[in-house]
């Protein structure tokens, strides 16, 4: 059944359509696809040494195996969301999932570094076609605000588990040495096929009212995002060559050209890739800006903490993973609890923002103790897990719940892109502070543990400031009304 529901067009006397009876099985299927897309961003990292040795790849090729997926995934998300609006969210989810399954097979069987990189590019584009449909399908399917909050809480659980499982499962698979690194990709094939069959049975179709894809807008968005994200993702690894700085400079006019193109398309109602009228809604603007800042903190924190624990304190990858575990567990629990109280979502968001600010400040202030006792990280990580749990998925819900169903796909694409761009920006900025501080402190002859924990504290100054600004944006969010079905 195809739904053409635009809540903004309903009069006060019209009832909101009943939610499909199979929405919960459908949620399980879509979250399976989301889990695969998220896990594959992380699972390859721990396998890179094995991939490089087996395929005789250079360091640059090994880096591209990881970066190619993240870059094409981020660049394609906006277009992927719009394709779901135009041609059907179920259809695009299944196309993306099928392509993701096939490209995972290609990755697992790749005989050379070049073929593996090409397959990772295609895998990233497949994920970009699939993932935005998860968010937009949830937005148009779960019409009850309490159910929608629980659905987004389940998405939070999926994202948390996907990132954790990517590192743990990847380590276990490579350590088992059943066929080297290849099973990290091949495991997607049976899971993808089962999910594809289930999707055909349980998902309902939905579309928006747009009539065509804005090809020029898609090209401009890909160009602008590529100019921004490639340097942010690869800049530190390649030593920031001049041509990369030129790319960053060119991203500004490319982005301005894209914005002007979309504004003119929106004014003439000519099926823009992004309807710029979305940015006239305070909840969307404040929410997206807060989400960007949140992702700059989350991704960068994990990266520099991994270096502190392993390079600075000498822990093994497994021991470092165990230090991370309390944050993951408390995040999952907090996200589930937050999803059960949608009427208090704004209060929880503000409390989470304040908690995150205080948590980063406390960990930074305890750097002296962290150098001597790695277990001293655990109380702070538990605190951060709770704060992140009451922030992340309720914030996604707050952004998308007030968006008309006709714009659900593109709003989901923008939201997903903001997550990826925020992560890349945070890793670039915080990584620059952290590694510069490490290099400067090593010259002083200080112990390795003290060098890394001090640099960690200095880098967390960004997180404290960003968390404070994010909290201000959360305070600017409009107070929630009863399930607002239009904007």
């Amino acid at each position: 059944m195809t739904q053409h529901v635009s809540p903004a067009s309903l009069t006060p006397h019209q009832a909101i359509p009943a939610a499909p009876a199979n929405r919960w099985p459908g949620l399980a299927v879509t979250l399976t696809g989301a889990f695969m897309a998220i896990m594959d961003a992380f699972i390859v990292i721990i396998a890179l040494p094995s991939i490089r040795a087996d395929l005789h790849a250079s360091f640059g090729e090994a880096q591209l195996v990881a970066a190619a997926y993240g870059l094409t995934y981020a660049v394609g998300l906006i277009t992927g969301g719009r394709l779901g609006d135009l041609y059907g969210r179920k259809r695009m989810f299944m196309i993306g999932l099928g392509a993701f399954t096939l490209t995972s097979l290609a990755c697992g069987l790749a005989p050379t570094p070049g073929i593996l990189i090409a397959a990772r590019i295609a895998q990233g584009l497949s994920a970009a076609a699939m993932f935005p449909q998860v968010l937009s399908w949830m937005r148009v399917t779960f019409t009850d605000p309490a159910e929608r909050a629980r659905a987004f809480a389940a998405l939070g659980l999926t994202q948390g588990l996907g990132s954790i499982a990517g590192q743990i499962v990847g380590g276990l698979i490579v350590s088992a040495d059943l066929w080297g690194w290849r099973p990290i990709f091949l495991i997607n094939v049976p899971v993808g096929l089962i999910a594809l069959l289930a999707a055909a049975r349980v998902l309902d179709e939905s579309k928006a009212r747009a009539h065509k894809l804005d090809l020029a807008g898609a090209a401009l968005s890909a160009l602008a995002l590529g100019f921004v994200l490639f340097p942010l993702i690869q800049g530190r690894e390649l030593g920031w060559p001049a041509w990369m700085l030129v790319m960053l400079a060119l991203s500004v006019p490319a982005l301005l050209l894209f914005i002007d193109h979309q504004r003119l398309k929106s004014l003439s109602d000519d099926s823009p890739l992004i309807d710029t009228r979305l940015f006239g809604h305070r909840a969307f603007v404040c929410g997206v800006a807060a989400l960007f800042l949140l992702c700059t903190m989350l991704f960068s924190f994990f990266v520099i903490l991994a270096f502190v624990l392993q390079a600075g304190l000498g822990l093994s990858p497994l021991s470092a993973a165990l230090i991370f575990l309390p944050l993951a567990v408390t995040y999952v629990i907090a996200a589930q609890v937050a999803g059960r109280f949608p009427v208090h979502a704004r209060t929880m968001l503000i409390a989470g923002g304040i908690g995150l600010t205080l948590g980063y400040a406390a960990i930074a202030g305890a750097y002296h103790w962290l150098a001597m006792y790695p277990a001293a990280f655990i109380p702070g990580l538990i605190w951060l897990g709770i704060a992140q749990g009451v922030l992340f998925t309720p914030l996604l819900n707050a952004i998308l719940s007030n968006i008309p169903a006709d714009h659900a796909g593109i709003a989901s694409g923008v939201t997903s892109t903001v997550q990826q761009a925020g992560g890349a920006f945070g890793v670039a900025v915080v990584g620059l502070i952290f590694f510069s501080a490490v290099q400067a402190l090593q010259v002083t002859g200080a112990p390795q543990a003290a060098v890394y924990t001090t640099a960690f504290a200095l880098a967390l100054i960004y997180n404290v400031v960003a968390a404070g600004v994010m909290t201000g944006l959360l305070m600017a969010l409009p107070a929630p009304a009863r399930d607002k079905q239009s904007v």
Side-chain angles (χ1 to χ4, degrees):
M1 179 177 67
T2 300
Q3 300 170 346
H4 293 278
V5 179
S6 178
S9 66
L10 296 174
T11 69
H13 303 290
Q14 288 178 294
I16 301 298
N22 58 356
R23 60 195 179 280
W24 294 109
L27 179 66
V29 171
T30 55
L31 292 184
T32 299
F35 180 86
M36 293 166 65
I38 294 163
M39 185 175 73
D40 264 58
F42 292 90
I43 197 171
V44 74
I45 295 173
I46 201 165
L48 283 180
S50 177
I51 291 172
R52 182 173 175 272
D54 182 50
L55 298 182
H56 306 291
S58 66
F59 282 108
E61 288 171 329
Q63 291 166 16
L64 280 176
V65 169
Y69 177 87
L71 181 64
T72 53
Y73 178 40
V75 167
L77 282 165
I78 292 177
T79 302
R82 195 53 168 166
L83 288 171
D85 282 343
L86 289 169
Y87 302 113
R89 287 135 191 161
K90 173 182 177 179
R91 177 182 297 178
M92 285 308 303
F93 176 81
M94 292 183 65
I95 289 173
L97 178 58
F100 189 88
T101 303
L102 286 174
T103 53
S104 295
L105 179 63
C107 288
L109 300 178
T112 67
I115 292 176
L116 178 57
I117 291 167
R120 285 287 281 175
I121 290 171
Q123 191 186 36
L125 292 173
S126 302
M130 173 176 61
F131 188 81
Q133 318 316 326
V134 178
L135 294 172
S136 56
W137 182 87
M138 288 166 60
R139 164 62 187 88
V140 300
T141 300
F142 290 91
T143 55
D144 177 79
E147 286 195 341
R148 185 184 299 147
R150 289 198 293 274
F152 274 96
L155 174 63
L157 173 63
T158 300
Q159 291 183 305
L161 291 178
S163 59
I164 298 163
Q167 299 172 64
I168 296 175
V169 173
L172 291 174
I173 288 175
V174 173
S175 298
D177 198 21
L178 297 175
W179 192 17
W181 53 271
R182 298 180 185 276
I184 70 171
F185 297 114
L186 297 178
I187 194 174
N188 290 331
V189 177
V191 177
L193 290 174
I194 293 170
L196 199 59
L197 292 173
R201 293 179 60 88
V202 303
L203 293 185
D204 287 321
E205 187 59 283
S206 64
K207 296 181 182 180
R209 298 181 183 276
H211 301 295
K212 61 182 180 180
L213 178 64
D214 178 10
L215 293 174
L220 286 171
S221 74
L223 186 68
L225 286 169
F227 280 170
V228 172
L229 293 176
F230 183 77
L232 291 180
I233 291 172
Q234 288 290 93
R236 186 181 63 81
E237 294 288 347
L238 299 181
W240 292 103
W243 61 267
M244 218 172 246
L245 298 177
V246 172
M247 282 185 75
L248 274 177
L250 289 176
S251 69
V252 176
L255 185 60
L256 291 175
L257 181 61
F258 171 68
I259 292 171
D260 189 57
H261 180 268
Q262 295 304 290
R263 182 183 62 83
L264 294 175
K265 282 262 186 180
S266 299
L267 289 173
S268 60
D269 203 21
D270 189 20
S271 296
L273 185 69
I274 299 177
D275 192 328
T276 54
R277 287 170 291 191
L278 279 174
F279 296 94
H281 306 307
R282 189 175 70 181
F284 186 76
V285 174
C286 292
V288 163
L291 180 64
F292 177 85
L293 288 173
L294 178 60
C295 290
T296 67
M297 295 178 275
L298 299 189
F299 286 87
S300 61
F301 181 80
F302 288 136
V303 170
I304 63 174
L305 180 57
F307 274 95
V308 171
L309 294 175
Q310 295 181 59
L313 303 183
L315 299 184
S316 68
L318 179 59
S319 298
L322 292 176
I323 296 288
F324 274 103
L325 193 59
L327 185 152
V329 171
T330 51
Y331 168 83
V332 168
I333 294 171
Q336 294 304 298
V337 172
R340 298 184 179 276
F341 300 97
V343 294
H344 302 296
R346 184 170 176 270
T347 301
M348 285 192 294
L349 285 172
I350 294 170
I354 295 171
L356 202 64
T357 307
L358 295 176
Y360 286 135
I363 292 176
Y367 71 95
H368 179 71
W369 294 101
L370 301 177
M372 296 186 290
Y373 309 106
F377 277 99
I378 292 176
L381 294 178
I382 290 173
W383 179 276
L384 291 181
I386 295 170
Q388 292 171 16
V390 299
L391 268 172
F392 193 72
T393 48
L395 181 55
L396 290 178
N397 191 11
I399 294 170
L400 295 175
S401 289
N402 291 301
I403 298 301
D406 275 358
H407 293 152
I410 190 55
S412 300
V414 171
T415 301
S416 301
T417 302
V418 163
Q419 293 180 53
Q420 298 300 313
F425 180 83
V427 169
V429 172
V430 176
L432 177 64
I433 298 170
F434 176 73
F435 289 107
S436 298
V438 167
Q439 290 175 345
L441 290 166
Q442 283 177 332
V443 175
T444 67
Q448 189 82 332
V451 165
Y452 274 82
T453 53
T454 303
F456 183 62
L458 291 171
L460 285 185
I461 293 173
Y462 169 86
N463 290 44
V464 174
V465 174
V469 175
M470 179 197 68
T471 304
L473 289 167
L474 295 174
M475 291 178 177
L477 287 172
R482 287 189 193 178
D483 189 26
K484 261 187 186 177
Q485 291 296 323
S486 61
V487 181

